[in-house]
Amino acid sequence: MTDSKNINNPVGQGGGQRKKLSRAERQNNGPHRNLDRHGAADQKAELVRKMREKVRAAEDAGQASDDTAQS
């Protein structure tokens, strides 16, 4: 087996060339991050929708009790 000059990097030990990374991927903004961002946006939208429903339900309950108190 032939060895490279660097003892920590013997030639033929399953290394190989590395994939060329784009600037965004080098900064950890690759396509996987875009998927994570879409997932987070979906979760946020769902949370906002649930919160708005709770507020509406509370307002409706408050108006119903006001109507009965006025009658």
Side-chain angles (χ1 to χ4, degrees):
M1 179 177 88
T2 59
D3 289 330
S4 68
K5 292 180 182 178
N6 182 351
I7 195 168
N8 295 324
N9 185 22
V11 174
Q13 293 293 313
Q17 291 184 338
R18 294 178 63 176
K19 175 182 176 274
K20 294 272 194 276
L21 298 176
S22 68
R23 173 179 272 176
E25 288 172 327
R26 278 184 271 145
Q27 293 174 349
N28 200 17
N29 295 338
H32 61 280
R33 182 160 185 251
N34 292 336
L35 294 175
D36 291 342
R37 294 169 102 187
H38 287 298
D42 292 342
Q43 284 181 338
K44 183 177 178 181
E46 182 69 18
L47 181 63
V48 168
R49 183 185 63 79
K50 286 180 181 179
M51 290 173 65
R52 286 183 178 152
E53 285 179 0
K54 282 184 182 180
V55 168
R56 282 193 198 119
E59 287 176 350
D60 291 343
Q63 288 177 356
S65 64
D66 290 344
D67 293 341
T68 57
Q70 289 178 357
S71 298

